[in-house]
C-alpha cells in the first residue's frame, strides 16, 4: 500500500527540538537585561546581609556619626541615628523581594484558580467569578489597602496577605480568557468522551497549556506587588519592625534627610525599587513575547 | 452479540438540539433548531453514515450522541439505557462503550505526549489494566492493530512528530483500546491528504470486521458514505430526509435532495443518465426553518410540479419507499412522482 509507505516515510524525518523558553528569553535583549538585573539584586538580597559587616539596627555612638555622607567604611553613609545605610539597603532588598514574591504567589493561586473555574465552567460560575473580579478591579486599591492595613495591624504577614488579595484580578481575567479558548479545542471533548472528569480535564488538559501564560503574568505581578509594598511602607503602614526599601524612604522623609540633602539615605532605596520593578517588567514582557508564538512571529 | 441483529446498539428518538444565536437585525437571541427531530438506529457491527452539508446538523447529532452537548429533547438509547438523563459518574461509567474519532487529529491529540501515553490514557482514566506494564502491552497491541508498526518504535514518538495520517491512527488506536460497541467518527478523513484516506478507512473497516464495532460515520461526502457504510441517512436542515441501504439510496434515491446529491457524484459506471442537478441557493438558516417541507425553498421537484401548496404547508414525515430490501424511507409528499416527466 503506497499511501502507507508514504506515511511511514515521514516519521524518519528528524524533528528539531524547539528551543526552551529560557533559551529564547536569554536571546531576547530586554529579557537578558531583566535577568541580569534580577540575578544581581537577588544575590545582593540573599548574601549581602551575611557579608556586609554592619548591623542595620546598630545605632551610632555619638552625634558625630549621624547623617554621615558615604565613606570607605559606610558606602552609603549613615542615617539620623548613625546606622549604616548600605546594610539597611541590603536588608531592605530582602524584605521587598520577599513580600513581593509571597504576595504574588497568593495572587497567582487566587487569580489562576478563579480564572480557570470561570473559563471552564462558564455560565453562572463565570458570572459570579467575574462579578467579584470586576469589583476588585475597579475598587481603588490604595485606600482599601490602607484601610485593611489599619484594621489588621502592621506586620509582614498582614502586608503580604493584603497585597496578594488585591493583586489577583488581572491574572484571573487573563487566565479566564485563555481557558475559554482552550476548552473549545478538540482535545477537551476528546478527553471527556474518554471518560475524564472535569477535575482531570482541568488538571491534565487545561493547566499545562496555561503555565507559560501564568508564569509571564506572575513575573509582571511581582513588580506591582513590590511597588505596593513600597507604597504601604512609605506612607507608614508597613511592618515597623522590618526594614524595606519603602520604609527606608518613609524614615528618610520623616527624619528630615531630604531637607538636609542626605541623598545617600533616600536615593538608594528609590533607585532600588525602580531597578527591581524594571527588571521584573523586562523579564515578564519578554517572557510573554517569547512564549506567545503569535507575538514571536511578528518580530 | 447476544441480542442478534435486531438488537440496536444505538437508537436515537426525537432528538432535538437547539442553540441560542444572535441574528443580525433582530433584538436578543433566537433559537436555532440545529437538530429538529431526528430518529436513528444503529445495529451492532453496522455502519450508518450520516450525510449532510455543513450546517445540516450532522455534527450536532454526533456531539449529542456522544453526550458532549445537551439535547433539547429526545432520547439517546445506548444498549437499552437512555443516556440523556445520566450525569457525572453514571455517565462516565458508560463512556468507554461509545467512543469518538474526531475530525482533526492535529487538534484532538496533545502534541507534548508520547504516542504510547496517548493510547494508554483511556485505560488510565477508566482504571483498566492491572499495572502500567499491563496497559503498555494493551497499547502496543492497539497500535499494531491501527497499522502503526513497529509499535515499540512508534509508541516512543511524540504525537507532534507524526503526520496527520499517523495521528489519526493513534486516535483510532486510543478509541478502540476501550473495545467500544459504537464509534462515532466525525469526518475522520476530511482533514487528511487524499492519498492517506484509503489507509485510514481500511484500518477502520478492519476494526469493524475484527472487533464487531458499529460506526456512526459522519461525512459530507456521499460517495465516501456509499463506499464505507451499510446504510445511509441523509440529513437536511436538522432532519433526516431519506434513509436506506447504501445501494438502495444511491441506485434509486427517492427524495429530491438526495437525487440532487447523487446526480453530482462522479460515478465510474456511467450507465446513469448524466443529468446533473445542481441545487440553487444556500441551505436556509436553522433559526428560520421554512414552513411545510423544509426543502421547498430549493426543491427542483416543487418547482417542476408547479409549487403545490402542500409542500409549503405540510411537513412531510418519513414514509416507506418501495424497495427490494425494505427499510428505505424518504420524507417527501411526492415520492412517486419522481422522474415521471
Ligand atoms: S415535499 Fe415538496 S418541497 Fe419537499 S421535497 Fe417533496 S416535492 Fe420537494
Amino acid at each position: 500500500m503506497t499511501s502507507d509507505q508514504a506515511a511511514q516515510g515521514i516519521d524518519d524525518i528528524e524533528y528539531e527540538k524547539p528551543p526552551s523558553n529560557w533559551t529564547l528569553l536569554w536571546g531576547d535583549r530586554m529579557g537578558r537585561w531583566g535577568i541580569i538585573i534580577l540575578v544581581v539584586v537577588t544575590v545582593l538580597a540573599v548574601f549581602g546581609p551575611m557579608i556586609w559587616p554592619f548591623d542595620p539596627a546598630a545605632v551610632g555612638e555619638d552625634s558625630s556619626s549621624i547623617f554621615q555622607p558615604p565613606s570607605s567604611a559606610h558606602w552609603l553613609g549613615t542615617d539620623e541615628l548613625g546606622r549604616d545605610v548600605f546594610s539597611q539597603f541590603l536588608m531592605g532588598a530582602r524584605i521587598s523581594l520577599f513580600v513581593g514574591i509571597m504576595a504574588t504567589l497568593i495572587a497567582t493561586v487566587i487569580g489562576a484558580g478563579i480564572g480557570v473555574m470561570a473559563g471552564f465552567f462558564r455560565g453562572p460560575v463565570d458570572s459570579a467569578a467575574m462579578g467579584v473580579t470586576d469589583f476588585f478591579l475597579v475598587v481603588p486599591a490604595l485606600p482599601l489597602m490602607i484601610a485593611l492595613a489599619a484594621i489588621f495591624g502592621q506586620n509582614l504577614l498582614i502586608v503580604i496577605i493584603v497585597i496578594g488579595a488585591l493583586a489577583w484580578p488581572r491574572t484571573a481575567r487573563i487566565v479566564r480568557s485563555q481557558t475559554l479558548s482552550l476548552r473549545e479545542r478538540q482535545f477537551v471533548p476528546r478527553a471527556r468522551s474518554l471518560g475524564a472528569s472535569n477535575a482531570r480535564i482541568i488538571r491534565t488538559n487545561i493547566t499545562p497549556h496555561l503555565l507559560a501564560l501564568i508564569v509571564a503574568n506572575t513575573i509582571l505581578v511581582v513588580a506591582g506587588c513590590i511597588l505596593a509594598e513600597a507604597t504601604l511602607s512609605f506612607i507608614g503602614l508597613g511592618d515597623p519592625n522590618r526594614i524595606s526599601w519603602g520604609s527606608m524612604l518613609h524614615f528618610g522623609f520623616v527624619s528630615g534627610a531630604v531637607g538636609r540633602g542626605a541623598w545617600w539615605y533616600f536615593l538608594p532605596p528609590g533607585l532600588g525599587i525602580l531597578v527591581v520593578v524594571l527588571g521584573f517588567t523586562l523579564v515578564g514582557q519578554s517572557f510573554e513575547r517569547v512564549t506567545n508564538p503569535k507575538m514571536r512571529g511578528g518580530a | 452479540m447476544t441480542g442478534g441483529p435486531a438488537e440496536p446498539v444505538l437508537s436515537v428518538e426525537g432528538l432535538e438540539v437547539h442553540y441560542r444565536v444572535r441574528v443580525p437585525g433582530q433584538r436578543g437571541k433566537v433559537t436555532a433548531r440545529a437538530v429538529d427531530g431526528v430518529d436513528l438506529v444503529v445495529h451492532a457491527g453496522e455502519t450508518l453514515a450520516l450525510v449532510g452539508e455543513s450546517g445540516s446538523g450532522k455534527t450536532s447529532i454526533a456531539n449529542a450522541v456522544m453526550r458532549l452537548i445537551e439535547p433539547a429533547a429526545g432520547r439517546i438509547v445506548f444498549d437499552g439505557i437512555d443516556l440523556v438523563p445520566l450525569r457525572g459518574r453514571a455517565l462516565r461509567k458508560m463512556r468507554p462503550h461509545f467512543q469518538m474519532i474526531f475530525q482533526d487529529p492535529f487538534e484532538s491529540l496533545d502534541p507534548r505526549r508520547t504516542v504510547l501515553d496517548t493510547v494508554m490514557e483511556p485505560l488510565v482514566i477508566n482504571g483498566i489494566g492491572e499495572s502500567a506494564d499491563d496497559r503498555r502491552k494493551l497499547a502496543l497491541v492497539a497500535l499494531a492493530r491501527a497499522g502503526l508498526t513497529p509499535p515499540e518504535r512508534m509508541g516512543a514518538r511524540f504525537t507532534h512528530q507524526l503526520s496527520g495520517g499517523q495521528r489519526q491512527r493513534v486516535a483510532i488506536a486510543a478509541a478502540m483500546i476501550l473495545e467500544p460497541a459504537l464509534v462515532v467518527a466525525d469526518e475522520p478523513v476530511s482533514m487528511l491528504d487524499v492519498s492517506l484516506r484509503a489507509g485510514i478507512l481500511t484500518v477502520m473497516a478492519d476494526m469493524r470486521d475484527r472487533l464487531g464495532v458499529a460506526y456512526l460515520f459522519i461525512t459530507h461526502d456521499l460517495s465516501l458514505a456509499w463506499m464505507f457504510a451499510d446504510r445511509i441517512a441523509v440529513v437536511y436542515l436538522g432532519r433526516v430526509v431519506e434513509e436506506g441501504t447504501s445501494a438502495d439510496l444511491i441506485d434509486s434515491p427517492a427524495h429530491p435532495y438526495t437525487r440532487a446529491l447523487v446526480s453530482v457524484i462522479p460515478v465510474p459506471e456511467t450507465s446513469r443518465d448524466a443529468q446533473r442537478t445542481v441545487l440553487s441557493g444556500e441551505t436556509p438558516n436553522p433559526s428560520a426553518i421554512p414552513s411545510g417541507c423544509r426543502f421547498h425553498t430549493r426543491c427542483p421537484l416543487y418547482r417542476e410540479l408547479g409549487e403545490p401548496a402542500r409542500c409549503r404547508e405540510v411537513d412531510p414525515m418519513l414514509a416507506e419507499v418501495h424497495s427490494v430490501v425494505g427499510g428505505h424511507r424518504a420524507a417527501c409528499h411526492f415520492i412517486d412522482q419522481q422522474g415521471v416527466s
Side-chain angles (χ1 to χ4, degrees):
Chain A
M1 199 185 253
T2 50
S3 61
D4 265 6
Q5 280 155 8
Q8 296 294 331
I10 292 169
D11 69 48
D12 292 326
I13 300 168
E14 276 306 313
Y15 284 83
E16 224 175 289
K17 204 168 172 286
S20 79
N21 288 337
W22 296 111
T23 316
L24 288 169
L25 198 56
W26 188 248
D28 184 81
R29 192 149 45 97
M30 275 169 64
R32 186 182 303 194
W33 275 110
I35 290 176
I36 292 171
I37 289 173
L38 294 186
V39 167
V40 169
V41 172
T42 308
V43 168
L44 280 180
V46 173
F47 298 108
M50 299 177 192
I51 296 167
W52 190 248
F54 294 99
D55 177 351
V59 178
E61 279 138 36
D62 51 49
S63 60
S64 69
S65 61
I66 68 167
F67 283 132
Q68 287 297 308
S71 63
S72 58
H74 300 287
W75 288 5
L76 289 178
T78 60
D79 69 1
E80 78 277 16
L81 295 174
R83 296 172 300 194
D84 181 59
V85 174
F86 190 57
S87 66
Q88 290 183 36
F89 178 78
L90 294 174
M91 194 49 97
R94 235 186 215 191
I95 297 300
S96 289
L97 284 181
F98 179 74
V99 172
I101 290 168
M102 294 314 283
T104 300
L105 286 182
I106 292 175
T108 301
V109 169
I110 299 176
I114 288 182
V116 166
M117 293 300 156
F120 187 78
F121 290 106
R122 301 194 298 188
V125 178
D126 189 22
S127 311
M130 284 305 106
V132 176
T133 306
D134 285 341
F135 172 76
F136 274 94
L137 215 50
V138 296
V139 98
L142 189 62
L144 190 63
M145 278 197 289
I146 293 170
L148 288 173
I151 295 166
F152 292 108
Q154 293 165 265
N155 70 61
L156 212 55
L157 186 65
I158 295 295
V159 170
I160 289 172
I161 292 174
V162 167
I163 295 173
L166 286 172
W168 59 267
R170 206 181 93 96
T171 309
R173 284 222 152 258
I174 292 173
V175 168
R176 169 185 175 269
S177 73
Q178 183 76 5
T179 307
L180 275 176
S181 84
L182 279 172
R183 80 191 295 289
E184 298 306 322
R185 304 268 297 273
Q186 245 179 30
F187 52 73
V188 172
R190 179 172 175 272
R192 193 180 295 291
S193 74
L194 291 175
S197 62
N198 285 333
R200 189 188 160 91
I201 293 173
I202 290 174
R203 199 175 59 231
T204 64
N205 299 103
I206 302 280
T207 312
H209 292 273
L210 290 171
L211 278 185
L213 179 83
I214 291 175
V215 169
N217 181 60
T218 297
I219 297 169
L220 290 172
V221 171
V222 175
C225 287
I226 286 176
L227 265 183
E229 190 278 336
T231 311
L232 275 185
S233 297
F234 176 65
I235 58 179
L237 287 168
D239 186 337
N241 302 316
R242 306 273 184 172
I243 300 161
S244 76
W245 286 343
S247 72
M248 285 176 74
L249 285 175
H250 172 73
F251 288 113
F253 274 83
V254 296
S255 69
V258 180
R260 297 180 62 140
W263 54 268
W264 57 87
Y265 191 7
F266 56 83
L267 217 51
L271 286 175
I273 292 165
L274 197 79
V275 166
V276 167
V277 169
L278 181 70
F280 277 108
T281 308
L282 285 176
V283 173
Q285 285 183 351
S286 170
F287 194 89
E288 221 164 42
R289 207 166 34 242
V290 300
T291 54
N292 187 337
K294 268 176 258 155
M295 289 171 82
R296 197 189 301 164
Chain B
M1 257 123 280
T2 44
E7 197 65 35
V9 65
L10 173 76
S11 83
V12 172
E13 298 158 20
L15 183 69
E16 291 183 25
V17 177
H18 299 171
Y19 296 108
R20 300 288 293 166
V21 292
R22 235 173 253 292
V23 178
Q26 237 169 308
R27 255 192 295 130
K29 290 185 172 180
V30 297
T31 300
R33 310 171 76 87
V35 181
D36 193 23
V38 161
D39 301 320
L40 294 171
V41 171
V42 184
H43 298 281
E46 174 193 54
T47 299
L48 172 67
L50 223 49
V51 179
E53 300 164 296
S54 65
S56 63
K58 60 186 192 301
T59 297
S60 295
I61 297 174
N63 286 329
V65 166
M66 288 304 298
R67 296 293 282 114
L68 296 171
I69 55 175
E70 217 45 56
R75 282 154 50 85
I76 297 164
V77 182
F78 177 82
D79 217 7
I81 300 166
D82 186 3
L83 299 177
V84 175
L86 297 186
R87 295 282 179 281
R89 193 178 298 272
L91 180 59
R92 289 207 301 278
K93 261 177 67 185
M94 292 293 293
R95 285 199 181 276
H97 305 298
F98 53 99
Q99 285 296 301
M100 187 157 183
I101 299 169
F102 290 86
Q103 180 176 18
D104 186 351
F106 289 89
E107 265 281 297
S108 64
L109 303 181
D110 190 333
R112 294 163 312 167
R113 252 186 239 170
T114 66
V115 169
L116 201 63
D117 283 341
T118 306
V119 178
M120 280 165 60
E121 190 188 16
L123 301 176
V124 176
I125 289 174
N126 293 288
I128 298 169
E130 302 280 295
S131 61
D133 206 47
D134 235 30
R135 290 193 271 268
R136 219 182 90 86
K137 281 189 194 123
L138 287 171
L140 290 176
V141 172
L143 284 175
R145 231 189 245 150
L148 291 162
T149 50
E152 289 83 3
R153 201 168 133 238
M154 295 305 295
R157 282 169 201 281
F158 287 91
T159 49
H160 73 84
Q161 299 174 317
L162 303 183
S163 67
Q166 288 173 321
R167 285 187 203 208
Q168 200 59 305
R169 285 168 192 262
V170 173
I172 292 172
M176 294 295 175
I177 203 168
L178 293 168
E179 300 183 359
L182 173 75
V183 168
V184 176
D186 182 15
E187 303 259 19
V189 297
S190 70
M191 302 289 289
L192 303 179
D193 196 83
V194 177
S195 64
L196 300 173
R197 292 184 180 177
I200 298 294
L201 292 172
T202 306
V203 167
M204 286 179 64
D206 185 51
M207 302 279 182
R208 179 172 59 195
D209 298 341
R210 275 209 266 180
L211 308 175
V213 61
Y215 287 113
L216 183 61
F217 189 87
I218 317 291
T219 181
H220 66 277
D221 184 343
L222 190 56
S223 54
L224 189 62
W226 178 30
M227 209 176 82
F228 190 73
D230 303 310
R231 287 191 302 123
I232 295 174
V234 177
V235 191
Y236 183 77
L237 211 52
R239 189 71 73 75
V240 173
V241 295
E242 180 164 6
E243 63 176 354
T245 64
S246 302
D248 264 356
L249 198 117
I250 300 293
D251 288 343
S252 47
H255 194 280
Y257 179 59
T258 316
R259 292 174 73 84
L261 292 184
V262 170
S263 77
V264 294
I265 296 181
V267 198
E269 70 270 28
T270 42
S271 58
R272 202 181 301 141
D273 48 351
Q275 231 200 351
R276 292 157 58 97
T277 313
V278 179
L279 290 174
S280 56
E282 300 262 307
T283 310
N285 196 299
S287 62
I289 294 177
S291 64
C293 174
R294 58 195 60 213
F295 187 53
H296 83 255
T297 53
R298 298 171 75 197
C299 181
L301 184 60
Y302 170 68
R303 263 168 280 148
E304 213 174 286
L305 293 172
E307 313 203 344
R310 201 162 159 222
C311 291
R312 285 190 311 272
E313 284 159 13
V314 185
D315 193 359
M317 294 290 116
L318 278 174
E320 202 71 26
V321 178
H322 178 74
S323 73
V324 191
V325 220
H328 186 184
R329 307 193 300 158
C332 169
H333 297 306
F334 301 99
I335 295 171
D336 303 330
Q337 319 221 350
Q338 305 270 0
V340 195
S341 54

